């Protein structure tokens, strides 16, 4: 993917190296566990779609009310010579330009989310964010949180590399922000409150697949406007979607596939919805909730 020289977003907050409280990233209740276990937990919680709110609550000790949001004033900008921070800032800027336009075309105004880079743990409106949670979006403060070491994990454990696959992770989280702005996540949350676990998981899958489709919609428009795609990029992202589908992850984690507990969708479903977004480039192509077949 071509990105050097494109606009970088100002909406990136660098909290790396700050201690966010709530315990270290790799400590669970005082028990220290191996890096391999953390790696599995991290990727699994992200891609198996355990509700970040639940996950955060669990990891930060569980039970109680979400931790109060601490104000980080002033928010630090990443250093200008940090290549990885520049890359994610450029991807974020690209999603801003794309969604600004799509919302404007529908008579709406897009509210740009913030992207927080952190290491270890950090306070969020959804509780304490931990490295082990994987990248996530918190609707309470409209921020996407990522520990960039997640990308090393994608490479090492899932053999997923390429900067477009990395961009796709950001675009998927921004997709959750778009769902929040459109009121979709609220409706789904309300519906899930009165649903069985099975129905609730099925709704989560549709929400996740829609975020994949929105990531595709971003890629379609970004490429049209800025010609970012290079040979092999789409295949790389599709491989990523396929490598990290719930079925592939579950097989790796337990050796069996249990479809009712899918919350992100199977590999084939993730590939299919991302493809739909990037081919059609329209939000209306992403109505996973109306789809008979996923
Ligand atoms: Zn997601």
């Amino acid at each position: 993917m071509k990105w050097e020289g494109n606009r970088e977003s100002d909406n990136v907050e660098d909290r790396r190296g700050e201690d966010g409280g709530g315990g270290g990233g790799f400590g669970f209740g005082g028990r220290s566990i191996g890096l391999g276990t953390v790696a599995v937990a991290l990727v699994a919680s992200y891609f198996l779609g355990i509700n970040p709110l639940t996950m955060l609550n669990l990891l930060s000790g569980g039970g109680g009310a979400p931790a109060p949001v601490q104000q980080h004033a002033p928010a630090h900008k990443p250093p200008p010579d940090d290549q990885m921070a520049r890359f994610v800032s450029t991807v974020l800027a690209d999603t801003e330009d794309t969604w600004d336009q799509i919302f404007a075309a529908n008579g709406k105004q897009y509210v740009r989310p913030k992207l927080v880079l952190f290491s270890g743990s950090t306070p969020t409106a959804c509780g304490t964010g931990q490295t082990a949670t994987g990248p996530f979006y918190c609707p309470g403060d409209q921020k996407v949180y990522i520990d960039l070491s997640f990308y090393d994990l994608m490479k090492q454990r899932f053999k997923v590399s390429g900067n477009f696959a990395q961009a796709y992770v950001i675009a998927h989280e921004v997709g959750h922000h778009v769902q929040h702005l459109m009121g979709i996540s609220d409706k789904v949350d309300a519906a899930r409150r009165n649903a069985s676990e099975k129905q609730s998981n099925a709704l989560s899958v549709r929400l996740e697949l829609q975020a994949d489709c929105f990531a595709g919609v971003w890629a379609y428009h970004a490429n049209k406007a800025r010609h970012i795609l290079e040979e092999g990029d789409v295949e790389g992202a599709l491989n990523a979607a396929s490598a990290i589908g719930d079925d592939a992850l579950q097989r790796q984690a337990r050796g069996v596939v249990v479809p009712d507990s899918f919350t992100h969708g199977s590999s084939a479903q993730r590939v299919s919805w991302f493809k739909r977004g990037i081919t059609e480039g329209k939000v209306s192509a992403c109505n996973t909730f109306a789809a008979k077949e996923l």
Side-chain angles (χ1 to χ4, degrees):
M1 155 180 177
K2 290 192 291 255
W3 64 276
E4 297 258 18
N6 290 349
R7 184 176 79 82
E8 290 174 39
S9 174
D10 285 330
N11 291 313
V12 179
E13 217 180 287
D14 193 354
R15 295 188 196 165
R16 291 171 296 176
E18 288 176 25
D19 185 6
F26 293 133
F28 293 85
R31 194 163 51 93
S32 75
I33 53 176
L35 270 181
T37 315
V38 170
V40 172
L42 197 165
V43 177
S45 67
Y46 175 61
F47 291 114
L48 290 178
I50 297 162
N51 181 350
L53 300 174
T54 310
M55 196 69 194
L56 285 170
N57 220 357
L58 282 174
L59 292 174
S60 58
V69 186
Q70 290 165 25
Q71 282 308 316
H72 281 251
H76 295 288
K77 301 266 165 243
D81 60 347
D82 183 330
Q83 184 79 351
M84 206 55 221
R86 285 186 47 230
F87 170 71
V88 294
S89 305
T90 307
V91 172
L92 183 66
D94 208 310
T95 63
E96 290 170 347
D97 293 338
T98 301
W99 288 109
D100 276 354
Q101 279 188 8
I102 295 175
F103 272 62
N106 289 284
K108 299 253 164 32
Q109 201 187 351
Y110 180 63
V111 179
R112 297 175 171 190
K114 296 257 190 289
L115 176 67
V116 178
L117 310 179
F118 74 99
S119 53
S121 63
T122 198
T124 85
C126 303
T128 302
Q130 308 259 6
T131 295
T133 315
F136 63 98
Y137 170 70
C138 173
D141 52 23
Q142 306 200 23
K143 293 180 181 184
V144 170
Y145 292 85
I146 186 169
D147 182 328
L148 294 176
S149 65
F150 182 74
Y151 287 147
D152 300 329
L153 207 64
M154 276 172 66
K155 218 179 281 174
Q156 287 156 14
R157 190 157 283 257
F158 292 97
K159 312 286 175 244
V160 171
S161 58
N163 57 9
F164 186 64
Q166 295 173 337
Y168 158 76
V169 169
I170 306 273
H172 172 95
E173 297 307 332
V174 169
H176 285 312
H177 173 64
V178 170
Q179 290 174 320
H180 171 63
L181 293 182
M182 291 170 74
I184 296 168
S185 342
D186 277 355
K187 277 189 202 152
V188 169
D189 282 347
R192 289 182 64 188
R193 253 171 250 137
N194 305 309
S196 67
E197 195 184 340
K198 187 177 166 180
Q199 289 168 324
S200 172
N201 284 346
L203 284 169
S204 286
V205 168
R206 286 173 194 263
L207 199 65
E208 292 302 330
L209 292 175
Q210 186 175 59
D212 283 332
C213 187
F214 284 173
V217 169
W218 159 72
Y220 170 91
H221 288 279
N223 191 48
K224 211 169 141 195
R226 287 170 287 281
H227 309 287
I228 59 165
L229 292 178
E230 295 177 297
E231 186 80 34
D233 273 350
V234 174
E235 289 73 17
L238 292 177
N239 283 341
S242 162
I244 58 195
D246 286 344
D247 49 349
L249 277 181
Q250 288 195 354
R251 209 170 281 123
Q252 174 150 351
R254 311 191 227 162
V256 285
V257 177
V258 190
D260 274 355
S261 64
F262 287 4
T263 49
H264 268 69
S266 70
S267 296
Q269 289 169 339
R270 297 199 73 170
V271 165
S272 151
W273 283 96
F274 175 75
K275 244 186 192 163
R276 209 176 291 201
I278 199 172
T279 309
E280 299 193 31
K282 282 189 299 220
V283 166
S284 58
C286 300
N287 194 347
T288 54
F289 295 95
K292 280 214 183 76
E293 291 268 320
L294 294 172

